Amino acid sequence: EVQLVEFGGGLVQPDRSLRLSCAASGFTFDNYAMHWVRQAPGKGLEWVSGISSNADAVAYAASVKGRFTISRDNAKKSLYLQMDSLRAEDTALYYCTKDKFAGIHSALDVWGLGTPVTVSS
Amino acid sequence: QSPLTQPASVSGSPGQSITISCTGTSSDIGTNNYVSWFQQHPGTAPKLIIYDVLSRPSGVSNRFSGSKSGNTASLTISGLQAEDDGDYYCTSYTTTTNVLFGGGTKLTVL
């Protein structure tokens, strides 16, 4: 069964850091680009960051560029999101998603259940 | 970049067809065919229903179809069913190697 499971969410104070992880199973992880997408409470979807299958290309939304870092470990079939200098507006449910293609695309065909991040003092 | 523009809401009766538009610019929708559509029901993760403007993933009903003209992509749902009720989002790859989502459209099946 194709599955993505996110870990690492929680309550964090403003300006602190948090690292999200995503464990993949049921597909050849290193063949596909991966992404993080977030959804603030009651709001729409916002793409956060993407990384190509072999990590030679990464991209970020303007709202997180310079603060968040995406990475992957193909041997461990895992995706990560290092989030620094967190702000209240980063509060959201963070989804790990798989692309249908090796390069950064927009065809996100597998989604995890999400991990919640709350930034508050 | 600003989100792609979608109508906030659309509605239709069972059996009818509806179309949801997604308007971008020459830097995103207008420059490539990497447009996708997602369906989301309350409390659940989104589901991919259309990619590359008009392709359907395996298992997605052929009542869902996509198209594009210029800077605007469209999702058409024919033969509306109660289960189609939910939120719909478009995305596009952009020239800056980013991915943009639309603001979302709430579909109500009357």
Side-chain angles (χ1 to χ4, degrees):
Chain A
E1 179 190 4
V2 175
Q3 194 172 17
L4 297 171
V5 180
E6 302 94 338
F7 302 93
L11 174 63
V12 61
Q13 293 179 328
D15 295 324
R16 302 300 289 264
S17 299
L18 204 60
R19 189 193 196 210
L20 305 184
S21 301
C22 171
S25 59
F27 64 97
T28 306
F29 183 73
D30 53 6
N31 280 358
Y32 301 99
M34 298 292 295
H35 303 255
W36 290 98
V37 174
R38 68 186 181 184
Q39 188 167 33
K43 303 296 185 182
L45 300 171
E46 180 188 15
W47 177 81
V48 174
S49 181
I51 184 168
S52 61
S53 61
N54 61 3
D56 63 347
V58 296
Y60 300 92
S63 58
V64 306
K65 197 169 187 178
R67 301 187 298 121
F68 289 12
T69 303
I70 192 171
S71 62
R72 64 190 294 161
D73 185 331
N74 285 347
K76 294 183 178 180
K77 297 185 179 181
S78 293
L79 176 72
Y80 306 100
L81 185 67
Q82 176 67 40
M83 304 186 295
D84 298 323
S85 303
L86 282 161
R87 305 167 180 167
E89 54 264 36
D90 295 318
T91 294
L93 183 66
Y94 284 72
Y95 290 105
C96 169
T97 78
K98 168 191 168 291
D99 206 308
K100 282 184 68 67
F101 303 95
I104 294 172
H105 202 278
S106 67
L108 312 179
D109 65 342
V110 181
W111 294 66
L113 296 180
T115 186
V117 172
T118 302
V119 183
S120 174
S121 53
Chain B
Q1 286 179 274
S2 300
L4 304 174
T5 301
Q6 297 181 233
S9 64
V10 298
S11 63
S13 299
Q16 288 185 331
S17 294
I18 63 95
T19 296
I20 300 172
S21 62
C22 173
T23 301
T25 70
S26 58
S27 295
D28 39 70
I29 292 177
T31 199
N32 64 72
N33 287 326
Y34 300 149
V35 176
S36 301
W37 289 90
F38 300 86
Q39 175 192 63
Q40 186 179 34
H41 292 128
T44 70
K47 173 187 176 183
L48 179 68
I49 55 174
I50 294 288
Y51 68 98
D52 289 355
V53 175
L54 49 72
S55 297
R56 273 189 311 276
S58 173
V60 173
S61 170
N62 59 9
R63 296 186 300 104
F64 295 92
S65 62
S67 63
K68 191 190 88 165
S69 177
N71 296 337
T72 297
S74 298
L75 171 71
T76 297
I77 308 174
S78 58
L80 270 180
Q81 299 179 2
E83 66 206 48
D84 299 331
D85 201 282
D87 296 323
Y88 291 81
Y89 296 89
C90 62
T91 66
S92 175
Y93 177 84
T94 80
T95 55
T96 52
T97 324
N98 290 343
V99 174
L100 269 183
F101 271 94
T105 297
K106 180 173 180 56
L107 168 62
T108 300
V109 180
L110 302 171

